[in-house]
Amino acid sequence: MIDFVAPRDGEIIGKATSREDAWWLCSRYGLKPHPLTDASEVRLEDTESGAKVWTVPCEHTKYPYDRIAFENRRRDGLASLENGLPAWPIAEENGIAFQTFKQRLNRGWSGQRAATEGVREMVPNPDDEWEAIALENGVSVRAYRSRVQAGCPEAIAATMGLSWRKW
């Protein structure tokens, strides 16, 4: 079951499914939960409106200015999974770059799909001799193809390193 999370005597900051997740969310947002080693002090309490809220004892009840915590809060608000939790932490765990995640959302992908679907791998063309040479020289298939598409001759695209634009 998903319930709201709030630092003790503070406002709701997000949602979590367990006391560990609630503690982790406060830690991720820079609120410095106590104790810093475990989540045993986190309590599930009823509010006046009847909703349940994980209350976490924290050093701060509002967000302190911390660049990383600010980015985490902003990114967590972009999309959510089907169960209502933020999608960005899952995408981060799956090794999906933030720009890729954001572009997927802009294309209309669901938060669940954007966070969990793997990155497409480009398969080399066995009939393209310059592509094989590019792979031998440590140039990826994606880099080789984008160089050729940008107008670089195949021989240069396959053999030059990062300075290929100076040809």
Side-chain angles (χ1 to χ4, degrees), residues 22-58:
W23 182 90
W24 174 80
L25 185 69
C26 288
S27 176
R28 181 174 163 83
Y29 287 2
L31 298 175
K32 297 186 181 177
H34 298 295
L36 294 175
T37 54
D38 69 58
S40 62
E41 294 297 319
V42 177
R43 303 278 182 252
L44 185 61
E45 299 176 359
D46 292 321
T47 61
E48 294 173 3
S49 64
K52 294 190 179 255
V53 176
W54 293 104
T55 57
V56 183
C58 296

Side-chain angles (χ1 to χ4, degrees), residues 7 15-16 25 30 36 39 51 53 61 68 70 73 92 121 126 141 147 149 151-153 162:
K15 297 177 182 177
L25 185 69
L36 294 175
V53 176
T61 57
I68 295 169
F70 174 78
R73 287 193 306 278
E92 196 172 32
E121 292 296 323
V141 173
R147 290 174 182 185
Q149 188 176 12
C152 183
L162 295 175

Side-chain angles (χ1 to χ4, degrees), residues 67-119:
R67 180 76 179 160
I68 295 169
F70 174 78
E71 288 296 322
N72 285 336
R73 287 193 306 278
R74 187 177 68 81
R75 291 174 180 187
D76 285 357
L78 287 176
S80 34
L81 300 172
E82 292 169 355
N83 63 8
L85 294 175
W88 168 244
I90 303 302
E92 196 172 32
E93 287 175 11
N94 289 333
I96 297 170
F98 178 67
Q99 289 301 323
T100 303
F101 177 70
K102 196 169 153 185
Q103 287 172 353
R104 289 174 172 187
L105 294 174
N106 288 340
R107 284 189 214 122
W109 288 28
S110 70
Q112 181 83 26
R113 182 177 175 206
T116 57
E117 194 167 298
V119 186

Side-chain angles (χ1 to χ4, degrees), residues 137 139 147 156-165:
N137 290 329
V139 177
R147 290 174 182 185
I156 294 172
T159 56
M160 288 192 74
L162 295 175
S163 62
W164 71 274
R165 292 187 187 268

Side-chain angles (χ1 to χ4, degrees), residues 128 130-131 134 139-148 154 157-158:
D128 189 346
W130 285 111
E131 200 169 277
V139 177
S140 70
V141 173
R142 185 176 303 246
Y144 169 76
R145 289 182 186 170
S146 67
R147 290 174 182 185
V148 171
E154 292 175 331

